[in-house]
Amino acid sequence: MTTLGDIGVAAAINIGSAFLFFLAFAILRLQPFNDRVYFPKWYLKGLRTDPVHGGVFVRKFVNLDWRAYLGFLNWMPEALRMPEPELIDHAGLDSVVYLRIYLLGLKIFVPIAFLAWIVLVPVNWTSTGLEGAKNITSSDIDKLSVSNVHSRSERFWGHIVMAYAFTFWVCYILLKEYEKVASMRLEFLATEKRRPDQFTVLVRNIPPDPDESVSELVEHFFMVNHPGHYLTHQVGFPGYFKNDNFYCCFKYAVSPLATVSIFMFLPVPLLIVNNNFLFSDEVIYDANTLAKLVKKKKKLQNWLVYYRNKLERTSKRPEMKTGFLGLWGKKVDAIDYHTTEIDKLSEEIASERKKVTDDPKSVMPAAFVSFKTRWVAAVCAQTQQTRNPTLWLTEWAPEPRDVYWRNLPIPYFSLSVRRLIMAVAFFFLTFFFMIPIAFVQTLASIEGIERTAPWLNPLVTVPFIKSFIQGFLPGIVLKLFLIFLPTILMIMSKFEGFGSISSLERRSASRYYLFNFVNIFLGNVLTGSAFQQLNSFVHQPANQYPITIGTAIPLKATFFITYIMVDGWASIAAEVLMLKPLIFYHLKNFFLVKTEKDREEAMDPGSIGFNTGEPRIQLYFLLGLVYAAVTPAVLPFIIIFFGLAYVVFRHQIINVYNQEYESGAQFWPDVHGRIVIALTVSQIVLMGLLTTKKAASSTPFLIVLPILTIWFYRYCKGRFEPAFVKFPLQEAMMKDTLEKATEPHLNLKGYLHNAYIHPVFKDSMDDEDDDDDTFSNNWDTESMTVRTKRHSQRHTPLPSRISGTSSPPQSPFAGDGLQNEP
């Protein structure tokens, strides 16, 4: 059993590790050659340049100003200095609301910890319930838990009163926070700059028609059903689709955790999807060859820029050999050679593009449909289009950066089958994972080592090593054992067919949370307690089992304390050091970077990683709420996590992370729901503990709490959740009216024309004449009669060669940013 001394050793190790990480970060961030690693967001915004130091050559790599090292923790107050409105402009609403989850943890647990330590800790500490227990091994820290209270004691009324106080406080804070975030979202949408997704809906499961192409069918349907409002559309998406049939290939793949896959005998089915199916103005194509040609052309263009820069520096024409890696072959002029090769590739790309665009079998049954106003787009996205609810499915289009292209054409029926398959696979993954976790956790204990490796007994009896094993090893082993889990869950989410990156991350986060709940919480509390007390179970009457389990559950708090210190202290401190990106950047910079574009790609900071970060936060909410009335000793460790993580991630969001998409905090209802689940679980756990403690007279008073909590959740869901799944028509009309008044000559069709074109296929269009970049301002009056294979005719606005293309769509954050460098 973990003792107070073991926890002290674990705390010393983790605090020391965190301090070393912060110290290393403080030194590395000041070095000029690391500036792009620790401030990449400012470089990408164009608000920061490479530090220039005159004098000694070493100044280009090392900061020799000793005064800069004195305030090595100055980055912490700097991270807190930027006000929230400015932070929204700088990083987006998703990032700011993500940070508010950490603040929410502080708002909830600081008052709860104060009450628990004032009321419950004295009640538990002054009891003597564990002194006479024969079947339970306990330590001094366990005397702070409810297990130390005698059965049938009147002291349990203190825990019941605190449970009510904790519940009302959590619900009050959640209500205020939900109201605040909903208000922030609506204000953000109201003041947000024009974006393509505001005018566009995603239409899936378009039924086939023998008389019309998919493009003609989409145009006909929306011209008829949304007359006067339809503007334009783009049809088809990448995937293994041909002739409206879905072709997919499964293979059994051993997961990164090979031992887990072998143990479970459940290989993870992976959908092998080619990501080179792209689309032009009208259709999507099987463009494997095209993608390879575009990639090769980019590489040659990069070398051409490199050699031209070299010519400017040296005033000497660079030469190269045409053989493998430039090691042998004919020596030629490097600039002329690459110019010629690029021209050849441009011709091949144009030919390949024409080849795939002429294939009528390449059209996919999905489309992005754009309208003339936000109001009409909102109506279309939030209504049923036909009497058959499985056809012409409409939803809000994700913003172009958020689109996950390869999943968009999956048929409705296939989506249902895929999600059923993944539900079954996730069930087995979750419950079979518990066995190896329990096995490894057993080995990472004194008893397990003594049983499996008795020759280590002299070593593990050393006090420090024993404390290290008891207080630090189980937490780090569990952390390492789960390191590849997010990748597995993301693969499963992609297989299910979600059409946006944000929905993929939300789905993966949901499953990660469920996995944590079953394996880390229940697996370590229930299974771990049962394994530890197995010898006692064998030698006691069966009617004593519930009492022993109920008493042992709070005792597992010591394990979670060590886990919180490893995962919530040391790991958070390591986050700011960014050791992996630091190493990768310098390796790429030394071996691969030839141009400024290469350097920008090498310093790509990535995004927050909602699918991994949010489930971890929810685990701490769960542990804090469950143990608040059971073992309050856990709460200070959780508060330190929330405070430290808030500062670290605020710094990272300001200086490092570049959010991949902007969903307008669409994930918040999931966050709220999981905290409510954690609160309900804490109430049920407390009821179970009081039942095992034979406090039958007081237990019924707790039954009201889950009922009130569920009612509270349903109230919040009805009151606030619509703001996250729907767009108010009033807000849409206000934005349309304002835009019409301020920009009466806006060329909306030109703005939307290529908004949802696949990036690789868009690159292939760069070879076209510059004449295609112009368009007419009279898009709303341009129309022509189009005759289809049907006997009827209809007046349909069609893009001409002039009005059909435009410059790239405006970034949703164009013009944003700060005026000063950090």
Side-chain angles (χ1 to χ4, degrees), residues 803-817:
S803 65
T805 58
S806 70
S807 59
Q810 178 182 349
S811 169
F813 302 110
D816 288 355

Side-chain angles (χ1 to χ4, degrees), residues 111-162:
I112 286 180
F114 177 78
L115 280 177
W117 278 81
I118 291 295
V119 178
L120 296 183
V121 168
V123 169
N124 297 335
W125 180 262
T126 55
S127 300
T128 57
L130 289 176
E131 293 181 0
K134 299 179 181 179
N135 298 325
I136 299 296
T137 304
S138 62
S139 64
D140 290 339
I141 198 170
D142 297 318
K143 294 180 181 179
L144 300 176
S145 72
V146 71
S147 297
N148 198 36
V149 181
H150 288 280
S151 298
R152 300 187 179 92
S153 174
E154 294 296 323
R155 295 182 178 226
F156 289 123
W157 283 105
H159 299 82
I160 294 174
V161 172
M162 286 296 99

Side-chain angles (χ1 to χ4, degrees), residues 234 278-285 287 290-291 293-295 297-298 301 345-354 356-357 750 752-774 800-801 803-809:
Q234 293 167 334
L278 313 171
F279 68 89
S280 67
D281 296 343
E282 298 292 339
V283 294
I284 290 298
Y285 308 97
L290 178 62
L293 292 174
V294 171
K295 183 177 180 180
K297 181 182 175 182
K298 282 185 176 181
Q301 287 175 329
L345 277 176
S346 298
E347 295 177 0
E348 292 183 41
I349 288 172
S351 175
E352 183 65 21
R353 182 185 175 195
K354 186 177 185 304
V356 293
T357 54
L752 295 171
H753 182 70
N754 287 332
Y756 285 95
I757 192 168
H758 192 284
V760 178
F761 203 73
K762 185 176 181 180
D763 290 338
S764 72
M765 297 173 62
D766 293 339
D767 299 310
E768 295 186 348
D769 297 334
D770 293 338
D771 294 339
D772 292 338
D773 293 333
T774 62
S800 67
R801 180 172 176 80
S803 65
T805 58
S806 70
S807 59

Side-chain angles (χ1 to χ4, degrees), residues 1 132-138 447 528-552 555:
M1 180 61 64
K134 299 179 181 179
N135 298 325
I136 299 296
T137 304
S138 62
E447 296 80 3
S529 298
F531 284 172
Q532 289 178 356
Q533 312 301 333
L534 183 60
N535 184 57
S536 301
F537 283 9
V538 174
H539 298 91
Q540 64 177 299
N543 60 0
Q544 296 295 311
Y545 290 172
I547 299 176
T548 303
I549 294 176
T551 309
L555 305 184

Side-chain angles (χ1 to χ4, degrees), residues 657-673:
Y657 295 138
N658 189 36
Q659 190 63 12
E660 192 173 2
Y661 58 84
E662 177 58 61
S663 70
Q666 207 168 7
F667 57 81
W668 182 258
D670 296 335
V671 175
H672 173 86

Side-chain angles (χ1 to χ4, degrees), residues 735-784:
K735 287 184 72 70
D736 289 332
T737 303
L738 179 62
E739 186 173 77
K740 187 175 181 180
T742 56
E743 300 179 79
H745 302 294
L746 171 66
N747 186 357
L748 187 59
K749 189 173 186 178
Y751 172 75
L752 295 171
H753 182 70
N754 287 332
Y756 285 95
I757 192 168
H758 192 284
V760 178
F761 203 73
K762 185 176 181 180
D763 290 338
S764 72
M765 297 173 62
D766 293 339
D767 299 310
E768 295 186 348
D769 297 334
D770 293 338
D771 294 339
D772 292 338
D773 293 333
T774 62
F775 43 77
S776 170
N777 290 329
N778 299 322
W779 56 266
D780 54 342
T781 60
E782 180 183 357
S783 64
M784 62 177 294

